[in-house]
Amino acid sequence: MTRQAVQSADPAVVERKTRYLYWWLLAALFLEYARPASYLPALGILPLNSVVPLTLFVACLFVKELRPTSIVYSDRLSRYLMWFVGIISISVLHASVTHTAYEVWIMILGYAFLFFMIAKIAINQARIRGVFMILIIAHLFLLVMNPEVVTDPSARHYVLGATFLGDGNDFSLSVCILLPFAVELAASAKSRLKKILWLAVLILLVLALIGTQSRGAALGMGALVVYFWMASQRKMLGLFVVLLLGIVIVAYAPDVFFE
C-alpha cells in the first residue's frame, strides 16, 4: 500500500482490520517483559516468548493496512537503530569472544524487531498509549511477584524471574523510562478516577525505583523531574508536585539511599 493510500484510508476501517495485530503486539510485549512462565511453569511448555513475537513479525511484513515500512524508516531515529544493529552485526565477526558477541547481537536484533512491530502497528495515539500501558502492567506484575522491592526498601532485592530486568539497576532504568508513560496516561485520562489511578501507579513506580537503591536511577528520575517542570506551562503546580514527591521520597527512602 502506498503512502497516499494509507493517508486516504478510513482510519476506522484500518483500526478494525488490524485490531487483532494490536492485541497480538500487547501480548508479545507482556511476555517479553513480565516473563510469566518464570512464575507459572505451565506456560513454559510452549516457547511463547519466541513464537508470539516472531509470528507477529512475519504478519507485519504482509498486512497492507499497517504503517508502510518506507514511512517507518524515513524517520532519522529509525535509521540510527538500523546503523546500530549493523555495527553490532559486524562486531560479531571480529569479537574476541564470538559466542558472547553473538548472544548480544541476537538480543539486540530481537528488540529491533519489537521496535519495527510497534512502529508498524501503533498507528494512532490510542495504540501508543496502549503500548505504554502494557509495559507498565508488565512491570507491576514483576513487582507483585517480588513485593519486597517495595515493601522492604532498607535492603536491595533482585527481581527474580525477570531475565534482563533482574538486576536492580536494570529494573530501575526501565522504570525511569516508564515514568513519562505514566504521566502521559494520567494526563490523557478522561475521567477523574482514571487520573487518580495512574497518578497512584506513578507514585508506586517511584517507590519501586527507590526500593532498588540505584543511585543512577535516582539521578535519572531527578533529570526527568527537572525536564517536566521546565516543559510545564503551570510552574507553580509543578513545583507543588515536586515538593510532594520529595516528601514521599524522604518519608519512604531508607538511610542507605541517601548515603
Side-chain angles (χ1 to χ4, degrees):
M1 182 177 289
T2 64
R3 180 180 303 191
Q4 291 77 11
V6 172
Q7 293 176 343
S8 62
D10 186 350
V13 174
V14 174
E15 163 69 25
R16 186 175 63 254
K17 287 185 176 181
T18 61
R19 188 174 300 160
Y20 72 99
L21 292 172
Y22 167 64
W23 290 104
W24 197 345
L25 172 65
L26 296 187
L29 291 172
F30 182 81
L31 289 171
E32 175 60 29
Y33 278 80
R35 298 298 174 106
S38 299
Y39 310 100
L40 303 172
L43 295 177
I45 297 176
L46 297 175
L48 297 177
N49 286 84
S50 300
V51 173
V52 173
L54 287 177
T55 52
L56 178 59
F57 177 78
V58 174
C60 287
L61 298 176
F62 296 99
V63 177
K64 296 181 179 180
E65 288 81 8
L66 299 177
R67 180 176 286 114
T69 303
S70 59
I71 295 180
V72 172
Y73 288 106
S74 65
D75 186 273
R76 183 180 301 174
L77 291 177
S78 301
R79 295 197 296 271
Y80 285 162
L81 179 61
M82 291 296 295
W83 277 105
F84 178 66
V85 174
I87 292 172
I88 298 297
S89 303
I90 295 173
S91 73
V92 175
L93 303 176
H94 303 279
S96 299
V97 184
T98 307
H99 179 70
T100 300
Y102 174 76
E103 288 183 341
V104 172
W105 177 73
I106 288 294
M107 180 178 63
I108 291 174
L109 187 63
Y111 285 103
F113 285 169
L114 281 177
F115 161 80
F116 175 78
M117 292 183 287
I118 292 173
K120 292 278 287 184
I121 297 173
I123 55 178
N124 53 47
Q125 288 186 347
R127 290 189 178 183
I128 293 174
R129 292 178 183 133
V131 170
F132 292 173
M133 188 182 304
I134 199 65
L135 290 174
I136 292 176
I137 290 174
H139 286 70
L140 293 179
F141 173 82
L142 292 175
L143 290 177
V144 170
M145 295 294 104
N146 299 269
E148 61 277 0
V149 173
V150 176
T151 59
D152 184 20
S154 60
R156 187 172 186 178
H157 301 278
Y158 288 89
V159 181
L160 303 178
T163 59
F164 69 99
L165 292 178
D167 183 77
N169 287 316
D170 298 329
F171 185 80
S172 57
L173 169 62
S174 192
V175 170
C176 272
I177 297 173
L178 295 180
L179 295 180
F181 296 175
V183 171
E184 165 62 20
L185 291 172
S188 61
K190 296 183 179 179
S191 69
R192 179 175 299 180
L193 180 61
K194 289 183 178 180
K195 287 183 181 294
I196 294 174
L197 173 63
W198 285 115
L199 288 175
V201 169
L202 176 62
I203 293 174
L204 179 59
L205 292 175
V206 171
L207 297 182
L209 189 149
I210 296 172
T212 63
Q213 298 185 9
S214 173
R215 289 165 291 183
L219 292 173
M221 180 174 62
L224 283 171
V225 169
V226 172
Y227 171 78
F228 278 125
W229 185 79
M230 292 180 64
S232 173
Q233 296 181 351
R234 305 172 68 181
K235 292 292 192 295
M236 293 305 299
L237 177 61
L239 184 60
F240 172 76
V241 173
V242 171
L243 292 175
L244 180 62
L245 185 61
I247 293 173
V248 171
I249 293 174
V250 171
Y252 173 77
D255 293 338
V256 68
F257 181 80
F258 299 101
E259 294 174 358

